[in-house]
């Protein structure tokens, strides 16, 4: 082994390979250096970098010639540098053995989620450079992941999404009937692993059967020099049963599960990542009928209590609009006593030697069920740590020792 050779030079982060960072956190780690003999070092530098970049090649025809144009753009989010060993003019001699140099960086508050696409990416890495006299610099790097939180518990992302389309089925320039499609989902924001309940109505007025389908589509948009490039991919899909001629079919919450995909990216100037739910009907002999509803894939799941009242209210109105398990706004009044109990039953009860005594604690008249119906479809109250009806002084328990 040559004198002064470097046996090992690597980077190690405090979090494991599966650990992700977010804006505002501290990025901590250490540089590991293993040398076989005393080593003269001028400087040891650690740098943190993060940026988004897009690039692709466009070809255009100008007359009889083909002209190529390279489109590229970049945006920097992180640029930090730290000196672990300073260059003081004289090299520093490190003894043989194992050496560790810790480092720490404060990440900016605003970052963009890591992403890898065909025409662009968002990447973050740590790079360490070892400078020695009269020897080329030794470098090592390590990539880390950033995931910015996208909270779906906002009014805009909890609002229902709906749409309707129709199309005239044609064959050999003859109208063969009207095919209509309407679909609705209970909210706009979802997280990976959740199930999207799809409510749809397919009305086939044509003379041939049609096939309804649904899919979650990811759209990657890359921007550079005033040009755009898009790439679409289906991440989840389902197919329904064929709808025969003159038939009408309802999807009452057809489930479509979201696979593990990256969150939506909107706050980047060079690339966007969006999602949509596409419900379509394949019509033989005619282009398919397509309906697209916007989706946002987030990282913060739906709170079970914080948005309960809004989600319950929107879900109830959602069902009312579609006529699925329609709930009455005002429950019907209970029937009259004479309509339920006949005169013969009243006469028999009056002759009973043990008549029922009225309970003085009961202030309600009529059966309990009539009053239960009134509150049956109301949303539950919001959870609170404070008692809305605190006990009065007269009701508080007294101390036995007083």
């Amino acid at each position: 082994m040559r004198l002064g050779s470097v046996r090992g030079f690597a980077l190690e982060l405090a979090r494991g390979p599966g650990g992700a960072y977010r804006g505002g956190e501290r990025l901590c780690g250490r540089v590991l250096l293993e040398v076989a003999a005393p080593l003269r070092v001028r400087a040891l530098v650690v740098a943190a970098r993060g940026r988004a970049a897009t690039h692709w090649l466009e070809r255009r025809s100008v007359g009889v010639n083909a002209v190529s144009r390279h489109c590229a753009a970049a945006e920097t989010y992180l640029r930090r540098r730290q000196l672990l060993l300073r260059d003081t003019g004289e090299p520093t001699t490190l003894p043989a053995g194992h050496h560790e140099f810790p480092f720490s960086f404060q990440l900016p508050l605003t970052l963009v989620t890591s992403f890898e696409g065909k025409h662009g990416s968002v990447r973050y890495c740590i790079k360490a450079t070892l400078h020695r006299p009269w020897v080329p610099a030794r470098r090592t790097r390590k990539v880390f992941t950033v995931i910015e939180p996208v909270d779906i518990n906002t009014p805009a992302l909890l609002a229902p999404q709906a749409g309707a389309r129709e199309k005239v089925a044609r064959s050999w320039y003859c109208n063969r009937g009207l095919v209509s499609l309407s679909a609705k989902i209970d909210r706009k924001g979802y997280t990976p692993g959740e199930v999207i309940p799809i409510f749809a109505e397919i009305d086939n007025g044509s003379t041939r059967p049609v096939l309804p389908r649904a899919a979650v589509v990811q759209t990657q948009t890359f921007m550079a020099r005033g040009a755009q490039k898009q790439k679409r991919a289906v991440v989840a899909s389902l197919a329904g049963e064929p709808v025969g001629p003159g038939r009408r079919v309802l999807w009452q919450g057809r489930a479509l599960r979201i696979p593990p995909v990256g969150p939506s990216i909107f706050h980047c100037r060079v690339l966007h990542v969006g999602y949509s739910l596409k419900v379509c009907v394949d019509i033989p002999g005619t282009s398919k009928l397509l309906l697209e509803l916007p989706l946002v894939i987030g990282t913060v799941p739906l709170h079970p209590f914080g948005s309960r009242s809004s989600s319950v209210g929107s879900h109830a109105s959602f069902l009312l609009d579609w006529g699925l398990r329609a709930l009455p706004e005002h429950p019907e009044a209970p029937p009259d006593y004479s309509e339920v109990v006949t005169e013969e039953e009243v006469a028999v009860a009056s002759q009973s030697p043990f008549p029922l005594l009225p309970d003085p604690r009961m202030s309600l008249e009529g059966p309990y069920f009539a009053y239960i119906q009134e509150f049956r479809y109301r949303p539950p109250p919001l959870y609170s740590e404070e008692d809305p009806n605190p006990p009065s002084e007269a009701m508080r328990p007294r101390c036995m020792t007083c």
Side-chain angles (χ1 to χ4, degrees), residues 147-166:
I147 297 180
E148 277 301 283
V150 179
D151 192 355
I152 68 171
N153 298 277
T154 60
L157 300 186
L158 293 177
Q161 305 295 311
R165 298 287 298 273
E166 60 182 20

Side-chain angles (χ1 to χ4, degrees), residues 18-94:
Y21 296 84
R22 58 180 292 183
E25 293 184 338
R26 294 200 69 85
L27 178 67
C28 302
R30 55 184 179 174
V31 179
L32 306 178
L33 179 61
E34 185 79 22
V35 295
L39 183 69
R40 300 178 66 192
V41 178
R42 292 181 54 190
L44 179 59
V45 184
V46 176
R49 298 288 185 265
R51 72 169 195 160
T54 59
H55 54 86
W56 70 89
L57 191 64
E58 283 189 353
R59 293 185 177 181
R60 296 181 179 180
S61 298
V62 180
V64 295
N65 299 323
V67 179
S68 299
R69 184 179 71 153
H70 182 254
C71 299
E75 185 178 22
T76 300
Y77 304 113
L78 174 63
R79 193 178 183 89
R80 299 283 191 274
R81 187 171 180 267
Q82 187 176 349
L83 287 173
L84 303 183
L85 289 177
R86 295 181 177 273
D87 187 0
T88 58
E90 292 293 332
T92 302
T93 302
L94 298 178

